[in-house]
Amino acid sequence: MQNKVEFLLIHTEAAPIVTEEHRFQVVNQYHKSLDFPISSLGSYCGYQYFCERDGTEIQARLDTDEGAHVKGMNFNSLGYCLAGNGDLNPITLAQETKLKVWINGKMKQYNVPKEKVQGHRNFSPKSCPGRFISEEYIQSLI
């Protein structure tokens, strides 16, 4: 089944400690250990996009690939994960810049209305993307 993009969902990795070191490979290995499906790009990372704290952006899955980031939403959304823990620290300026460009570009590309750009917590009993990334903050990037 091909992913049909209707939602843009924002995540943080929820690392127990926030570090400036690159985290993509750690997340990829963790998702592999959980038996997440491999993407057409060869990644186990469940998000389509991952953004390091220095703003380095990695595409882990094609937009058309099934995601593995929100149960029940993996065939109608794109997941964007920010390295770090949104309950412990705000995102960096570099991450904010990349997230803003990504949100606005994908909204235009897939005709996603602003009310369908949301945090993971709106679809699961989690705090993700964290207390530093409120729905108002996400909407302010649009």
Side-chain angles (χ1 to χ4, degrees):
M1 181 183 252
Q2 186 169 313
N3 188 24
K4 182 181 181 295
V5 180
E6 298 173 17
F7 290 85
L8 303 178
L9 303 179
I10 313 305
H11 304 262
T12 57
E13 70 166 303
I17 44 176
V18 177
T19 175
E20 298 308 310
E21 294 178 21
H22 281 204
R23 300 284 300 164
F24 176 77
Q25 288 304 328
V26 173
V27 171
N28 192 52
Q29 282 303 116
Y30 177 64
H31 287 185
K32 182 178 181 180
S33 77
L34 297 175
D35 292 323
F36 280 23
I38 194 165
S39 76
S40 62
L41 299 176
S43 173
Y44 293 93
C45 181
Y47 316 104
Q48 278 84 359
Y49 298 86
F50 188 90
C51 185
E52 300 286 3
R53 290 187 55 81
D54 68 2
T56 301
E57 196 173 66
I58 299 111
Q59 185 169 7
R61 296 175 177 273
L62 294 176
D63 290 2
T64 53
D65 284 348
E66 171 189 5
H69 56 96
V70 178
K71 193 172 188 170
M73 299 293 291
N74 291 318
F75 284 110
N76 68 340
S77 65
L78 294 178
Y80 193 95
C81 183
L82 300 150
N85 185 325
D87 282 327
L88 299 178
N89 294 91
I91 65 173
T92 66
L93 181 57
Q95 286 177 310
E96 179 182 281
T97 300
K98 290 290 179 122
L99 179 60
K100 184 174 185 172
V101 168
W102 182 81
I103 286 172
N104 288 285
K106 293 302 178 186
M107 284 178 68
K108 185 174 182 178
Q109 182 179 354
Y110 294 107
N111 199 29
V112 174
K114 66 180 182 176
E115 58 273 4
K116 289 190 175 185
V117 180
Q118 299 185 21
H120 179 190
R121 69 179 144 252
N122 294 328
F123 299 93
S124 297
K126 301 178 181 277
S127 66
C128 179
R131 66 185 179 96
F132 284 101
I133 305 169
S134 67
E135 297 312 307
E136 294 78 17
Y137 174 75
I138 292 170
Q139 292 297 307
S140 77
L141 300 176
I142 298 171

